[in-house]
Amino acid sequence: MLLTTTLLPRVITCNWAQTPFFTFISSFISLFTGGGQRTLSLFSSSGPSNWNKVVSDAEKIVGYPTSFMSLRCLLSDELSNVAMHVRKLVGTQHPLLNTARGFVYDSKNNLQMRGLIVLLLSKAAGPSHASSDLLPQDMVSGIYPSQRNLAEITELIHTAFLVHRGIVNLKEWTVSDGPLKDMQFGNKMAVLSGDFLLANACTGLAQLDNTKVVELISSAIGDVVQGLYYENHNNNEEYSLTSGIDVATWEEQAFLSHGALLAKSCQAAMELAKHDKESQRLAYKYGKHLSLGHKLNSDLQPFVKSSVGEPASFCLSAAPVVFHRQIVGTERWLQLLQQAKTQRNQLDYSKLLAAVKSEKGVSSAVDLCCYHGNKALEAIQAFPSSEARSALENIASAITKI
Amino acid sequence: MAGPWWRQCRRWSTNVTSTGLFETLWQYSVRSVSVSASSLGRTSWSSWPGNEWRPSALPTQKKLHTVNLTSSITRHRSRLLDPTLQSCCCRTIHSDAKPKDPFTLAQKDLKSLYDDIRKELFVSKELKHLCDYYFDGKGKAIRPMIVVLMARALNIHSNRSGDLLPGQRAIAMISEMIHTASLVHDDVIDGSDKRRGKRTINEIWGERKAILAGDFILSAASMALARIGNITVVKVLSQVIEDLVRGEFMQLGSKETENERFKHYLEKTFKKTASLIANSCKAVSILVNSDPEVHEIAFQYGKNVGIAFQLVDDVLDFTSGASQLGKPCAADLKLGLATGPVLFACQQFPELHAMIMRRFTSKGDVDQAWQYVLQSDGVQQTTYLAQRYCQEAIRQISMLRPSAERDALIRLTEMVLTRDK
């Protein structure tokens, strides 16, 4: 069994960890959190695993993974300024601090995973046949510089939204949560640094010299916003308790928030090398199904891992819960919620967990995860056999191992 | 194509030497931006070496003269600008008819502006409502107006008759969208609860949703921009987005010395306000004319009008009643920002220095600073500086072939200066 939660942080390993982008993020974070100690300790806690091997093999294939665009970001006055200010947040409860730590700690964020996949697909598709502007000698490790820039822009956008996600609604903040001033300040920093990353993504996109790619990636930004907006809405406990969403809607929304950016970046990587429409469609398909499979995999974790003594923690819009609700029907679901309520009107999540596990919600989500993993595998088969393609196959298989 | 007549005109106009009070400061800001404009709109203010402006070193006599001139203009709300301006800029190319009101002239191109913007915001449910919130047709749409007038003036200059190009119209729309997206985020950053007499998005729906709405408007603007299909235009307007953020960052810090502070203030003003107008003007010129000198005229007009616009805004923050601007007075001071009037006042009241450095955070700072500004000639000097920027804008736009739209853009500079809200 693959324990994604503990293993994914090691996506950042060996040569990958020495890239400019990684350096940028980690120094950003160590400035945020006030030191590099924690960052270091994270990398020593590695052990052999399937996933780890899949990813580190994949990294070797794409050579040096990124350009120096992010280095410019790191060296900018703006980010040093933010880092300096955000030190003040240490000790407060503003989520920006956790977001910053999460770049390194939290498995869900999968730093650089998107960039890696864009690079692998670029390499798997090979040199351009259609364009005379693109010269084979410009490629490094079988990847065009514009594709490397794109991989990095994808990461910038993803990171920008991690930051913007951590904005706090000030009216919901009560005095017992801590001083409001800290939250105002944290919001200010989160808005500014997220905007800064997005603005750099915009100028980076323009430099790719392809308006189709600009349009495609801009639409992906819009998709992510919509996805996060719905997520925001669905995570509202009150909402989940009354109506909730069905599986089809769940998939639609998960695609917006977790799949659109990767799917469209994969497509754009093909467009940059002037590969035909069919290659673009397949690349999009790979990115889409891989992201959905991955989202299901991480939603499933609290339901499959044996967490003795740990309090159950999951979200009411997690895939197994959505399946469960659909299987048992609204009435029984509402009954269950009533039963799971404690005297203080809080939800007892371990009770809910047991209930969901007792029905078919978990296995349905596992099936759906495998379905998406297989769809991703299917899409990649049309590309010529290569080590890059094998790496993409391995990644697609790994997400179905729950 | 541009005939030789305007080149000649340009050559002539560059020979005009200005001898105003703000000589050095003025030279600094004009020159440094033209340096930047040559590198695709990217500014390099910080590396500008020739910034030797010392406020205290200005000859007193000149200073008195200016103050008198400026205050008389302010007092009488004269519709005429500095007389030297008319003689130096419009002499050779003055059209006889009285310039039309820019708003009236631009109206036919802006009729469906807000409808078209709302169509671009293709999203459902509540998020749609948030995104549409400020595109209610009640905004002044100053940016789109400048863009369409500039586009028509440039089309005539380039011997292209008929309607606006579709891309030019799109740029008018995109300029308003980028502007609005940045307002939505600014209101979260500043914690504002009122904008244009309405409650802000963050006030009604909370900060999280407001940030997402701003991001969505930006992504829609970026898509519309890409659909124009001209990568140079995409690059020019992407620079604006970066400038807006960098400008916002610049407001976080205070500079230690007067010299640095003024430079910082003008650079911030360019990035936060003028860059959008300047680069939108440049973008519409790229679509109709291939001559970089024409692009530069469009850019320079937009830049100078944009800076003047913001300087007047900063003055109004001190002089306008709370109801007129739709936001409370001295809002900038309350946010810890030292704008033009304060920086000028600091020359006469060095006590302001410490307050600027602590961003008016001590009790009574805001009121005290407010008093100092009103007792000083900070307001007049800032107004005067705005006039100088408008003169430069007129000098630039006058290099275009005469047209009703060009004259309306000249008239607009005057309206920028005399507006009281």
Side-chain angles (χ1 to χ4, degrees):
Chain A
M1 191 165 71
L2 179 72
L3 297 179
T4 329
T5 331
T6 53
L7 298 180
L8 280 188
R10 269 175 282 104
V11 162
I12 311 151
T13 49
C14 51
N15 56 344
W16 196 249
Q18 285 143 24
T19 67
F21 190 84
F22 182 77
T23 318
F24 149 64
I25 288 292
S26 61
S27 24
F28 190 45
I29 290 150
S30 59
L31 280 164
F32 269 39
T33 50
Q37 272 322 84
R38 267 173 245 146
T39 318
L40 285 171
S41 66
L42 192 96
F43 298 107
S44 55
S45 68
S46 56
S49 81
N50 180 23
W51 177 264
N52 192 19
K53 193 171 178 322
V54 165
V55 173
S56 64
D57 287 350
E59 285 163 354
K60 284 171 202 146
I61 294 166
V62 294
Y64 80 98
T66 49
S67 70
F68 286 90
M69 198 172 75
S70 303
L71 202 58
R72 203 188 69 208
C73 246
L74 165 68
L75 296 174
S76 69
D77 290 349
E78 282 80 3
L79 283 192
S80 348
N81 207 337
V82 168
M84 189 185 78
H85 282 289
V86 170
R87 273 175 199 262
K88 291 182 206 156
L89 286 175
V90 175
T92 74
Q93 292 187 50
H94 198 281
L96 177 58
L97 207 59
N98 276 326
T99 311
R101 290 194 182 118
F103 291 143
V104 180
Y105 284 128
D106 191 344
S107 61
K108 283 186 202 155
N109 298 329
N110 290 322
L111 187 68
Q112 296 265 292
M113 218 20 228
R114 287 153 193 81
L116 178 60
I117 286 163
V118 169
L119 293 177
L120 286 169
L121 257 168
S122 302
K123 184 160 185 172
S128 176
H129 303 295
S131 175
S132 51
D133 302 342
L134 295 164
L135 305 169
Q137 61 265 33
D138 288 341
M139 292 178 119
V140 176
S141 301
I143 299 161
Y144 291 107
S146 59
Q147 293 172 319
R148 288 186 189 275
N149 287 333
L150 173 71
E152 196 160 284
I153 289 164
T154 308
E155 286 299 334
L156 281 178
I157 295 169
H158 176 69
T159 313
F161 281 108
L162 287 181
V163 173
H164 274 178
R165 238 173 161 154
I167 306 276
V168 173
N169 280 337
L170 296 175
K171 281 186 181 167
E172 290 161 20
W173 200 256
T174 56
V175 184
S176 60
D177 293 328
L180 186 68
K181 249 181 95 182
D182 291 342
M183 292 305 115
Q184 282 168 334
F185 186 74
N187 271 359
K188 192 171 172 169
M189 290 301 121
V191 176
L192 280 174
S193 39
D195 283 353
F196 185 77
L197 295 169
L198 273 183
N200 273 277
C202 282
T203 42
L205 271 177
Q207 297 305 319
L208 296 178
D209 277 331
N210 185 318
T211 55
K212 273 190 210 154
V213 170
V214 176
E215 188 178 352
L216 195 59
I217 303 298
S218 303
S219 78
I221 295 176
D223 292 341
V224 177
V225 174
Q226 285 180 66
L228 291 182
Y229 200 89
Y230 297 137
E231 196 178 273
N232 210 3
H233 195 61
N234 298 341
N235 285 354
N236 182 339
E237 204 173 76
E238 225 166 277
Y239 175 79
S240 310
L241 293 184
T242 50
S243 32
I245 51 169
D246 60 14
V247 175
T249 315
W250 179 90
E251 257 194 302
E252 234 168 73
Q253 297 181 358
F255 172 70
L256 289 173
S257 54
H258 291 81
L261 178 59
L262 182 59
K264 291 181 175 176
S265 293
C266 289
Q267 183 186 342
M270 301 298 102
E271 163 66 27
L272 284 175
K274 301 288 170 212
H275 291 304
D276 60 9
K277 285 271 170 288
E278 181 58 10
S279 310
Q280 293 187 26
R281 191 184 68 80
L282 291 168
Y284 176 96
K285 217 176 139 196
Y286 179 84
K288 173 187 163 171
H289 290 292
L290 187 80
S291 322
L292 284 173
H294 182 257
K295 168 74 174 139
L296 282 153
N297 187 310
S298 61
D299 272 17
L300 275 161
Q301 291 311 310
F303 298 88
V304 294
K305 65 177 178 195
S306 49
S307 52
V308 185
E310 268 176 62
S313 158
F314 56 91
C315 167
L316 287 180
S317 56
V321 184
V322 175
F323 265 110
H324 178 81
R325 202 171 48 212
Q326 194 164 310
I327 291 164
V328 301
T330 309
E331 203 173 317
R332 267 188 65 198
W333 169 247
L334 292 176
Q335 270 172 10
L336 172 67
L337 286 175
Q338 277 304 317
Q339 290 159 7
K341 268 202 181 134
T342 61
Q343 286 123 331
R344 281 181 177 177
N345 217 18
Q346 299 277 312
L347 275 176
D348 180 351
Y349 275 84
S350 46
K351 233 179 199 171
L352 280 179
L353 184 81
V356 173
K357 272 172 143 176
S358 69
E359 295 273 354
K360 292 235 181 311
V362 175
S363 63
S364 304
V366 171
D367 290 348
L368 189 62
C369 179
C370 293
Y371 166 81
H372 285 300
N374 290 332
K375 280 283 181 189
L377 275 176
E378 203 180 291
I380 205 69
Q381 293 313 311
F383 290 88
S385 171
S386 67
E387 53 174 0
R389 194 186 82 175
S390 308
L392 289 166
E393 287 166 358
N394 293 342
I395 291 173
S397 309
I399 58 153
T400 64
K401 309 253 165 37
I402 296 162
Chain B
M1 278 307 294
W5 64 271
W6 75 264
R7 284 181 203 276
Q8 207 173 0
C9 177
R10 182 180 180 137
R11 215 172 299 127
W12 168 79
S13 62
T14 43
N15 289 335
V16 174
T17 48
S18 51
T19 50
L21 164 68
F22 294 90
E23 178 67 19
T24 328
L25 171 63
W26 179 247
Q27 288 300 324
Y28 151 70
S29 56
V30 170
R31 273 191 293 169
S32 71
V33 172
S34 41
V35 166
S36 69
S38 61
S39 57
L40 236 162
R42 191 177 293 274
T43 44
S44 52
W45 298 74
S46 48
S47 60
W48 181 251
N51 176 28
E52 263 126 46
W53 181 62
R54 296 286 309 133
S56 51
L58 290 166
T60 330
Q61 206 185 347
K62 271 189 174 183
K63 185 167 170 178
L64 279 175
H65 163 74
T66 332
V67 170
N68 288 340
L69 173 76
T70 326
S71 53
S72 75
I73 285 176
T74 327
R75 218 178 298 127
H76 303 301
R77 280 247 164 256
S78 164
R79 306 185 91 199
L80 286 173
L81 293 174
D82 185 345
T84 54
L85 163 159
Q86 297 215 327
S87 57
C88 84
C89 299
C90 312
R91 188 163 45 197
T92 48
I93 32 171
H94 210 22
S95 50
D96 293 333
K98 189 181 182 303
K100 267 196 176 172
D101 174 57
F103 286 91
T104 318
L105 194 59
Q107 219 200 347
K108 63 176 180 296
D109 288 321
L110 299 177
K111 256 191 321 231
S112 61
L113 177 83
Y114 288 108
D115 288 334
D116 293 345
I117 291 177
R118 288 197 298 266
K119 277 180 208 152
E120 291 293 331
L121 299 166
F122 193 70
V123 63
S124 63
K125 301 181 200 168
E126 193 187 52
L127 180 56
K128 171 73 179 154
H129 188 55
L130 264 76
C131 291
D132 284 354
Y133 188 70
Y134 287 125
F135 301 114
D136 55 2
K138 290 182 186 130
K140 288 181 295 233
I142 298 242
R143 290 156 190 83
M145 178 182 76
I146 295 176
V147 171
V148 297
L149 291 176
M150 178 61 84
R152 284 193 178 269
L154 288 163
N155 291 358
I156 291 166
H157 181 78
S158 318
N159 286 327
R160 188 186 184 100
S161 58
D163 230 348
L164 287 181
L165 299 168
Q168 292 176 323
R169 236 201 83 84
I171 289 165
M173 192 177 76
I174 291 161
S175 68
E176 187 70 1
M177 291 170 82
I178 294 177
H179 171 62
T180 306
S182 84
L183 288 185
V184 174
H185 281 199
D186 284 358
D187 284 344
V188 174
I189 291 170
D190 298 340
S192 317
D193 55 2
K194 275 259 168 63
R195 157 91 54 196
R196 295 179 186 162
K198 281 169 100 164
R199 291 168 76 203
T200 54
I201 293 187
N202 45 297
E203 170 68 14
I204 302 177
W205 289 283
E207 285 76 7
R208 291 174 69 94
K209 289 181 174 177
I211 290 308
L212 291 176
D215 288 344
F216 192 83
I217 296 169
L218 188 68
S219 79
S222 182
M223 281 172 76
L225 178 60
R227 278 198 297 268
I228 295 173
N230 182 316
I231 195 68
T232 312
V233 167
V234 173
K235 286 178 185 171
V236 166
L237 285 175
S238 301
Q239 184 58 45
V240 173
I241 297 169
E242 199 179 306
D243 283 344
L244 284 169
V245 185
R246 287 186 190 267
E248 195 63 43
F249 268 103
M250 291 182 77
Q251 288 193 344
L252 289 177
S254 311
K255 291 287 177 213
E256 187 63 47
T257 69
E258 233 161 39
N259 228 339
E260 278 185 328
R261 225 180 262 150
F262 226 108
K263 192 177 115 190
H264 191 81
Y265 169 65
L266 287 176
E267 186 185 346
K268 183 227 78 181
T269 303
F270 172 76
K271 292 196 169 173
K272 276 212 71 180
T273 312
S275 172
L276 175 58
I277 302 174
N279 283 301
S280 302
C281 287
K282 185 174 175 177
V284 290
S285 78
I286 289 169
L287 288 176
V288 70
N289 197 307
S290 58
D291 184 349
E293 290 194 51
V294 174
H295 305 164
E296 183 64 11
I297 292 170
F299 180 91
Q300 286 298 331
Y301 174 84
K303 187 206 85 179
N304 283 284
V305 163
I307 294 179
F309 185 87
Q310 188 57 49
L311 290 171
V312 172
D313 213 55
D314 293 345
V315 163
L316 289 174
D317 197 48
F318 285 92
T319 58
S320 161
S323 56
Q324 277 180 317
L325 216 58
K327 55 179 182 182
C329 253
D332 292 331
L333 286 180
K334 288 173 192 158
L335 290 170
L337 304 178
T339 57
V342 183
L343 297 181
F344 277 117
C346 192
Q347 292 175 241
Q348 282 164 283
F349 298 98
E351 299 90 324
L352 277 166
H353 176 78
M355 291 188 215
I356 292 171
M357 289 316 289
R358 62 175 180 255
R359 301 177 70 85
F360 313 105
T361 46
S362 291
K363 199 165 178 285
D365 274 0
V366 170
D367 286 333
Q368 188 63 58
W370 164 270
Q371 288 301 327
Y372 281 138
V373 169
L374 294 188
Q375 284 164 34
S376 75
D377 59 4
V379 162
Q380 287 88 338
Q381 298 227 44
T382 311
T383 310
Y384 180 72
L385 188 58
Q387 288 169 1
R388 294 298 306 267
Y389 277 100
C390 281
Q391 288 167 26
E392 176 63 15
I394 293 171
R395 193 180 72 79
Q396 294 284 343
I397 196 75
S398 298
M399 295 180 214
L400 296 185
R401 182 175 298 179
S403 65
E405 283 80 7
R406 187 202 70 171
D407 293 346
L409 286 171
I410 292 174
R411 168 108 167 80
L412 181 79
T413 62
E414 196 181 313
M415 294 165 73
V416 162
L417 293 174
T418 53
R419 76 198 175 106
D420 53 9
K421 66 176 206 173

